[in-house]
Amino acid sequence: MILVTGGCGFIGSNFIHYWLTHENQPLVNIDKLTYAGNPLNLQKFNSDPRYHFIRGDICDRSLLLEIFHTYKPNAIIHFAAESHVDRSIYGPQDFIQTNILGTFQLLESFREYLNTVPRSNWSQYRMIHISTDEVFGSLTPEEPPFTEINRYAPNSPYAASKASSDHLVRAYHHTYQLPLITTNCSNNYGPYQFPEKFIPLVICNALEGQPIPIYGDGLQIRDWLYVEDHVRGLIAVLKGGTIGETYNIGGRSEKTNRSVAELICERLDHKCPLPNGQSYKSLITFVADRPGHDRRYAIDCQKIEKELGWKPRENFLSGIEKTIDWYLNHKVWIEQVKNQSYRNWIKQNYEKRLASCPE
Ligand code: NAD
Ligand code: TYD
């Protein structure tokens, strides 16, 4: 039995799909179902006896202890988090609560549970803490990609909250010898990603004929990782990673935001041309930048490649093709997530930005 936290979100639901298809072992998923958690993502497992779902908050230690004692998981895959940088700028409180205090409660519950197990058996247990490359801050164009030993320099409330949780994980391994591993991955994309994030936002806005907002000059760089490659990396770490270590997972696909938006538009021009003959590129709109916007992230993933034999299978062209096709084939899913709360967010984040478009 494994315990997944935040399994109804983007990466968590891709992980659960992959796990129940390829590993065939039972799992229990605890998810608070915030705006980002969507039980529709896992609908096909609703009556699968291997899948157990508990709606709950990782800040609730008594619930976590009950789950540990009832399901007796020997592995924990910790995804649950507030994950959107722009939301962390408007309201950091939930990020501190879930990402820092929630991770603390999970570590404390795991420690209490492990204390009921003989020390000699601890090697059969492990927890993977999923973190981000954003904890390392921003790179200049000339700097090499982040390695596992880069200095932490988080720049947004989101990145600072994740950095803080990484430090707690490190300390709990060092002090209490808990069997913990941290992974730091780059920007994921693929099926089931909530359309507040850049790639699904570009696809969904294009399909609705809405402006495609690009922050600032659009020359910021992200290293795009197809979500299934990430999931395979996490399973490789779960099975073969060294306790107490950290592993970077990246897509080897550095792209500017502008080039990502243009490529998506070109693929949509090909797949579903606009009736007026224009390119979707005509929807691209440069808007006011994100405060403190990190210029470049890039991951050096040689450690996981060498130690665990993992490599990304998708390049950006193949991954974006699959992603666009998934959204084109899941219009009902898109309609369902674009509820009133989503529309309120779009208004809050974009109304003023669109009104003050730079030339
Ligand atoms: P997401 O926002 O899509 O999903 C987060 C999930 O956690 C949701 O299902 C939500 O309901 C749940 N959740 C939030 N607060 C909770 C709480 N207090 N208790 C229980 N459940 C709670 O996030 P994601 O994109 O799937 O990211 C998963 C993890 O990967 C996060 O830890 C994130 O920091 C990390 N990460 C994501 C990316 C990316 O590109 N998406 C990149 C690097 C790292
Ligand atoms: P995002 O998907 O929010 O991920 P992160 O901030 O964690 O990297 O954004 C990816 C990049 O796209 C980032 O440089 C910000 C930019 N971006 C836009 O230009 N416009 C948008 O509307 C959004 C949401 C993001």
Side-chain angles (χ1 to χ4, degrees), residues 214-263:
I214 310 266
Y215 296 162
D217 62 7
L219 297 179
Q220 305 81 5
I221 291 173
R222 298 294 181 263
D223 175 355
W224 292 99
L225 171 65
Y226 190 64
V227 65
E228 191 173 301
D229 281 332
H230 182 203
V231 165
R232 286 191 309 98
L234 293 175
I235 294 175
V237 170
L238 179 66
K239 290 183 174 173
T242 304
I243 297 297
E245 289 288 314
T246 67
Y247 293 89
N248 282 359
I249 310 181
R252 292 190 178 276
S253 284
E254 287 188 53
K255 302 269 172 267
T256 64
N257 294 335
R258 197 189 281 202
S259 69
V260 167
E262 285 171 355
L263 177 65

Side-chain angles (χ1 to χ4, degrees), residues 84 134 187 196 198 201 213-215 222 257 290 293 350:
H84 191 30
E134 305 195 21
N187 286 62
E196 65 183 355
F198 185 56
L201 184 90
I214 310 266
Y215 296 162
R222 298 294 181 263
N257 294 335
R290 171 188 281 173
H293 198 171
Y350 295 101

Side-chain angles (χ1 to χ4, degrees), residues 9-11 31-32 34 37 57-58 79 83 98 158 162 185 188:
F10 163 48
I11 306 176
D31 196 301
K32 185 178 172 183
T34 66
D57 191 329
I58 56 161
F79 295 106
S83 68
T98 288
Y158 163 68
K162 292 297 289 187
C185 67
N188 284 221

